[in-house]
Structure formats: structure tokens, C-alpha cells
Amino acid sequence: MRSSLLPAIAHPRRFHRFHRRCCRHRRHHHRCRNRRRLKHSHVIYRRGHPQIMAKLQEHGCVWFKDMELTKSPEGFRSFYDALGLDLCLDPIHTSGLRKMISKKDGIYEEVNKPTLRGHYIGLHQESTHVKTSTYGAFVCFQGATIEGGDFLVADGARILRDLDPAVLQRIYENKVRISVSNLDFDFLAATGPLKQPLMNFFQDLIAKAVAPKFDMELEMLWGSDGKPYRLQAVEPPMSPVNRHPKTGMPVWFCNIHNHARYLRDNRPCTVPEVGMTDVYYGDLSGIPKEDLEHIDEVSRKHIVRVPMQPGDIIFVDNYRMLHGRDIFEGDRFHAVAWFSEQTDANGQKVAVERKQGNMLNEMLNNYVENAF
């Protein structure tokens, strides 16, 4: 087993002394039966915990490579249990973007669906206005069987550093609002005098019956993108810059690269219209395309492509690092688990209910899988 700090984020060929010690045990791992191997690896990871967490705080991301143990959910669970991390739900658990492959282990499938293999996932943190998880561990159980599917990471501190000051000032002062879904009610155009009462009815219905199940603070708005009969679920205004809660480091903490429709429309995208997102200024006015292009350019400059192999783990600081995924061909099976306390917009801990939203999550996953 090896680990390295990701290229362009730290030194590309530096390995921790702790992990070199682990390598001497590798042959022993192969000879052991599963139970004994899990126990032995648990001790090794636990002893290395202080070094791993120190490197994570320093660089924001650690890549664990050449591991046999973590090629299965059981072994993956052993890895993060040994590090003493508190398992929690994905902040967007009920979004339908990924389903749980192991509920008891808190492991989510990444976006591997055949219908979305041609969809480029831009850089983002796993966060909402309500919740943010501290750490994430992304594991590869099977790489893309034909090609592509690289995992993408980028340092939010470096993105912030390289943004044009004028662009950064505009977006910082105006803040951002993210629209997370579109519901089209074009038939309302033919309802005559009933149009406005029906619009009020549907707006109120969605706001009360659906939006709360997403565990996000959403406002249901008509026509934010210029289409009068499109009802959008929009998050509150948020700052694109955050201070890391532990280090105090200023970081780019904004999902524009993934959610801006202008950028999505100019790269591979296979998301159905109901799942299309967009980003506005805090007053719901449009962000200039020149600013979006600049943010895209700077974000891509700092992307590190990680060609993960089965058993590899990317351990990320979710407050500092942004992540994404390239398009792929064939089948792919990656997964993720989220850790530590979740915090709200004021940095206060949020209690996590493990069973929350599973039914809606499964319904939305079925919709996305069959939406084409």
C-alpha cells in the first residue's frame, strides 16, 4: 500500500513514512484470512491516524494507492473505522444524485449510472446552505471498463488566489444563489383566468410538500431564468468565499463550476431538464458569461486528474478541496463515504438522522435512471 499527496497540490512522489511501514506488511495481508487481515490493517491505520490527518490538513487531499483491502465495502469500512472518523449522511442525501450501496456502512454510490456516463461533473464541494460534511473518502471498486472516468480534484485556496480581483469582488459583493431543479408547467399558459391561482397553488404545494424533504432551505420561484412557467427551487444567497473552520485559510467555497448552466451547456451534459441547475447573483440577476468563463478557466487550471485503480482511496478535506468526475465509457463503480460532524451556515453542529429521506432518495434515483 502506498499513499501520496496529489500532484500540483503537494509533492507528487512523496510517501509518508507510516505508509512505507505498511508496505512491509503487504505480503502478510495477502496470506491472512479476511477477519485477521481487517484486524491487522485496523491497527496500522489507527497508529498512522495523526500523520494522515496532519497531511490532510496541510495539503487538503491524500491519495491512497496499491491497496488490496479496500477493494470491497467491508475493507473500505475497516479503513475509515480505523481512522476514528464519525460517519454521517451525505449533505444532499435526498437529492437522488447517488444511492446508498451499503446503508449499514454509510457508503454511497458515486454517479456511475449508464445514463450519466456522458455527463461531465464540474468542480464542487458536497455542501448546501444547511449542511456541510468535513471529510470525504472516495473509493474505486472498478475503474471505467473502456476509458475515462478520472476523478478530479482542485485546491480551493489556489483557485481563490488566481481569480481576477475584479471578478472576485463582483461575485463576493453580490453573493450567489443556486437553482437546483426545474419544474415546467407550460400548460398553465392556456388556463386563462385560472392561471395565477394555479401558479400560486403549485408554488405552495411544492414549497410545503416537496422542498422540506430535501433538507435544504429552498425558495420556490417562477421564471428566474426568463421562462415564466418554470418553477425553480433556489437556495438562499451565499458567499463564494469561506474561511476553513480549522485553519482559518480563505478558500473558494462555491459550486459555480458545476452548477452554472452556461458552463454545462458548453461541455458534455446528459442531465434531464428537471435536474438542470443554474447560478445567479444574490438578487437573481445573471452572472456575466465573461466572469463564468474566467472562473471556468481558473478552475480547470488547478484540476488534478486522478486515474484511480481498484482499491484506491482519495481522502479529501471537503472545506478546502473541490471534486468532480470526467466522462467515461463502459461500466464504472466508484463510491464515497462522508465523515465527521455536519455544520450549519453558522458553523454549529447539526444532528444527523441516519434513516432520513431514504424513500425519497430511492424514488428520485429510479426517476433519474429511467428519465431517458
Side-chain angles (χ1 to χ4, degrees):
M1 178 192 69
R2 300 185 296 163
S3 77
S4 72
L5 310 173
L6 287 176
I9 296 173
H11 303 285
R13 300 187 186 281
R14 182 192 299 171
F15 304 116
H16 307 163
R17 289 190 299 272
F18 158 69
H19 296 293
R20 286 203 293 268
R21 293 200 302 270
C22 292
C23 289
R24 293 198 292 268
H25 293 282
R26 190 177 178 191
R27 292 181 182 176
H28 174 68
H29 285 182
H30 287 302
R31 292 195 300 266
C32 289
R33 293 183 181 277
N34 285 342
R35 183 175 298 176
R36 186 178 177 187
R37 188 166 73 186
L38 291 173
K39 181 178 180 181
H40 184 65
S41 298
H42 192 283
V43 173
I44 293 175
Y45 288 128
R46 187 173 65 246
R47 289 175 179 173
H49 176 266
Q51 296 178 49
I52 294 172
M53 300 308 292
K55 291 297 182 183
L56 184 68
Q57 180 168 304
E58 181 181 0
H59 300 285
C61 190
V62 180
W63 179 9
F64 294 85
K65 301 186 286 186
D66 301 335
M67 301 202 295
E68 291 292 326
L69 176 69
T70 50
K71 290 182 178 180
S72 69
E74 181 186 22
F76 182 44
R77 176 65 187 258
S78 175
F79 165 83
Y80 60 74
D81 276 351
L83 292 179
L85 300 172
D86 296 326
L87 195 66
C88 66
L89 290 176
D90 188 311
I92 54 171
H93 175 73
T94 55
S95 71
L97 294 177
R98 67 175 59 96
K99 60 184 177 183
M100 300 190 84
I101 63 172
S102 177
K103 294 180 181 180
K104 66 182 180 64
D105 298 320
I107 303 175
Y108 293 83
E109 183 177 359
E110 283 192 51
V111 185
N112 304 310
K113 299 177 178 70
T115 52
L116 296 176
R117 59 167 66 109
H119 173 64
Y120 179 93
I121 301 176
L123 295 176
H124 63 286
Q125 281 109 343
E126 219 66 34
S127 174
T128 70
H129 185 72
V130 177
K131 292 180 180 179
T132 301
S133 294
T134 310
Y135 310 113
F138 298 82
V139 61
C140 172
F141 294 133
Q142 176 186 295
T145 54
I146 299 179
E147 64 177 356
D150 285 353
F151 189 74
L152 311 175
V153 290
D155 189 338
R158 294 192 176 197
I159 292 175
L160 180 65
R161 179 196 66 191
D162 290 348
L163 285 172
D164 181 272
V167 174
L168 181 59
Q169 182 176 359
R170 279 194 292 273
I171 197 164
Y172 181 78
E173 291 179 350
N174 288 294
K175 297 188 176 182
V176 297
R177 297 191 72 175
I178 297 176
S179 168
V180 300
S181 70
N182 297 326
L183 295 173
D184 290 323
F185 294 86
D186 293 338
F187 70 90
L188 291 174
T191 57
L194 295 177
K195 179 174 63 177
Q196 192 57 51
L198 285 172
M199 290 178 72
N200 295 339
F201 169 77
F202 285 117
Q203 184 177 24
D204 186 61
L205 175 67
I206 300 299
K208 291 182 178 179
V210 177
K213 292 182 171 61
F214 281 77
D215 198 23
M216 298 167 64
E217 188 176 338
L218 297 172
E219 184 179 4
M220 307 308 298
L221 299 173
W222 291 102
S224 297
D225 63 351
K227 296 189 175 183
Y229 302 112
R230 172 169 288 171
L231 185 62
Q232 293 182 300
V234 185
E235 293 192 70
M238 294 175 282
S239 172
V241 179
N242 193 11
R243 283 193 176 274
H244 193 284
K246 293 188 177 181
T247 67
M249 176 188 296
V251 295
W252 178 249
F253 196 77
C254 186
N255 293 343
I256 280 182
H257 189 255
N258 185 45
H259 290 317
R261 179 148 194 165
Y262 175 77
L263 299 180
R264 281 190 164 191
D265 286 345
N266 287 279
R267 63 190 184 211
C269 179
T270 59
V271 171
E273 186 59 50
V274 67
M276 284 296 289
T277 59
D278 208 348
V279 183
Y280 309 96
Y281 280 139
D283 62 0
L284 293 177
S285 61
I287 300 174
K289 68 176 184 179
E290 295 80 10
D291 288 3
L292 293 174
E293 289 170 351
H294 173 69
I295 293 169
D296 179 57
E297 179 184 2
V298 174
S299 297
R300 288 180 178 272
K301 171 185 173 182
H302 290 292
I303 286 177
V304 178
R305 306 177 71 89
V306 187
M308 297 175 70
Q309 301 299 313
D312 285 7
I313 292 174
I314 304 294
F315 189 31
V316 303
D317 179 336
N318 188 50
Y319 278 98
R320 176 171 171 181
M321 305 300 294
L322 296 92
H323 63 276
R325 190 221 68 199
D326 204 353
I327 62 175
F328 65 95
E329 294 183 19
D331 296 321
R332 178 183 185 270
F333 188 26
H334 287 223
V336 61
W338 297 100
F339 309 103
S340 196
E341 70 274 4
Q342 292 184 336
T343 57
D344 61 19
N346 299 314
Q348 300 299 310
K349 290 184 179 180
V350 177
V352 177
E353 170 55 51
R354 294 290 182 90
K355 296 182 179 180
Q356 177 182 357
N358 281 333
M359 180 178 296
L360 183 60
N361 179 269
E362 292 171 1
M363 290 170 59
L364 288 171
N365 268 282
N366 288 333
Y367 175 80
V368 172
E369 289 176 351
N370 296 296
F372 298 87

